[in-house]
Amino acid sequence: MTYCLGIINRFGIVMGADSRTNAGVDYISAYRKLFDFSVPGDRAILMCASGNLSVTQGMIHELKRDIHNREDINLHSLNSLYDVANYIGDKSRQIQDRDRAWLERDNIDFQCNFLLGGQIKGEDPQLFLIYPQGNHIQATRETPFLQIGETKYGKPILDRTITYDTPLEEMAKCALLSLDSTMKSNISVGPPLYIVMYETDSLHLRHKLQLRLGDPYLAKMRKLWEDYVRQAFEAMPNLEWKYVDEDPSEDIPID
């Protein structure tokens, strides 16, 4: 399992991912799940991957190979991020179809999801979620974040915090807290954590961060968050109980 997220608003894009993969409790390893295919000055292209590791690694290999071989259609030749999303969806289907019979025979889940975020010169920044079937949805002003993998633990803080006007640095902190909250509740998500921040119209990725287990900033952030959540909890007013003198069983009809 994994957890990746992308957040977009008028200031730019923040994307983050953990690195843990596992094939059972006795075999846990780390692989990068956030990839940068940018061309400074022309396009910023970021992609996160979750799902079957062999399929996602095959995807990354083929995307890089198409760029290296200067294929007519590749991540650097397409003129819109929408077309890039379709190209990635097509590639995902091709790889899954190639290996489908052998993986299904052994009941191996081969499906994968991808997050694609960035900006191509002449366009606005965009963020897409690409499904295993190759189709995709796009983040909007009303729904400014997308997630893949183990999404449920990191979603509440995004729901309560992120808006279309949230400053980029605040978005980055929120993304990291979302990742950390997921790690806290699910052992299948773990460091190193990767965070990138892209500023609208810069066409250059200037902010990258890798946080390993035991990183001082990560430890400080986790402690502060837990302390503040506990303080907020303790400050909540007590419940206004409705006290009754009657035997509650009298209110229950008996046949």
Side-chain angles (χ1 to χ4, degrees):
M1 187 56 73
T2 188
Y3 177 45
C4 308
L5 75 159
I7 313 171
I8 187 171
N9 69 10
R10 66 190 183 94
F11 298 110
I13 296 173
V14 172
M15 297 182 72
D18 80 314
S19 301
R20 178 163 292 175
T21 61
N22 66 290
V25 295
D26 59 346
Y27 187 77
I28 296 175
S29 55
Y31 289 91
R32 180 185 287 269
K33 302 170 189 176
L34 195 161
F35 304 92
D36 178 14
F37 294 96
S38 301
V39 180
D42 179 66
R43 62 191 61 207
I45 296 180
L46 301 163
M47 192 174 84
C48 294
S50 75
N52 183 282
L53 185 61
S54 68
V55 176
T56 59
Q57 287 189 336
M59 272 285 296
I60 300 304
H61 175 79
E62 294 209 9
L63 294 175
K64 290 181 176 179
R65 185 179 63 184
D66 285 355
I67 293 172
H68 180 266
N69 292 341
R70 298 185 180 181
E71 299 289 345
D72 291 339
I73 299 177
N74 66 69
L75 292 176
H76 294 169
S77 68
L78 294 166
N79 294 322
S80 77
L81 212 63
Y82 179 85
D83 290 337
V84 171
N86 284 328
Y87 162 68
I88 292 173
D90 290 342
K91 281 286 184 183
S92 178
R93 281 194 297 263
Q94 292 170 14
I95 294 174
Q96 290 180 70
D97 288 344
R98 182 187 66 198
D99 299 335
R100 181 186 303 272
W102 305 102
L103 295 171
E104 285 183 340
R105 187 183 66 178
D106 294 323
N107 297 315
I108 296 174
D109 183 4
F110 55 86
Q111 293 191 338
C112 298
N113 293 280
F114 302 93
L115 290 179
L116 169 69
Q119 183 178 20
I120 293 178
K121 191 173 184 178
E123 290 191 320
D124 293 329
Q126 296 171 78
L127 176 66
F128 294 90
L129 191 163
I130 304 167
Y131 293 108
Q133 295 77 15
N135 60 321
H136 50 76
I137 61 172
Q138 184 174 356
T140 65
R141 186 186 186 105
E142 294 73 28
T143 309
F145 66 86
L146 296 170
Q147 305 165 282
I148 55 176
E150 187 58 74
T151 61
K152 56 183 177 291
Y153 301 108
K155 188 174 185 293
I157 185 174
L158 300 174
D159 285 331
R160 292 177 179 270
T161 307
I162 295 301
T163 72
Y164 193 70
D165 297 310
T166 303
L168 267 182
E169 288 286 354
E170 300 299 311
M171 282 188 7
K173 286 190 290 185
C174 186
L176 184 54
L177 284 170
S178 181
L179 285 161
D180 184 69
S181 297
T182 306
M183 284 198 305
K184 179 76 172 178
S185 299
N186 192 312
I187 195 173
S188 70
V189 176
L193 303 180
Y194 292 89
I195 303 283
V196 296
M197 186 173 74
Y198 170 74
E199 299 167 297
T200 296
D201 294 332
S202 65
L203 297 174
H204 193 284
L205 194 63
R206 299 186 177 93
H207 301 90
K208 300 180 182 180
L209 183 63
Q210 178 184 1
L211 296 170
R212 297 188 176 277
L213 183 64
D215 184 277
Y217 177 80
L218 187 60
K220 179 180 180 181
M221 182 212 67
R222 172 176 285 187
K223 185 178 186 307
L224 283 173
W225 182 247
E226 291 178 348
D227 289 346
Y228 291 146
V229 169
R230 190 174 297 109
Q231 291 173 22
F233 167 73
E234 293 171 351
M236 290 293 104
N238 290 333
L239 295 174
E240 297 181 0
W241 297 103
K242 302 298 182 182
Y243 292 95
V244 293
D245 295 327
E246 296 82 4
D247 184 350
S249 63
E250 295 179 0
D251 296 331
I252 303 174
I254 300 176
D255 294 334

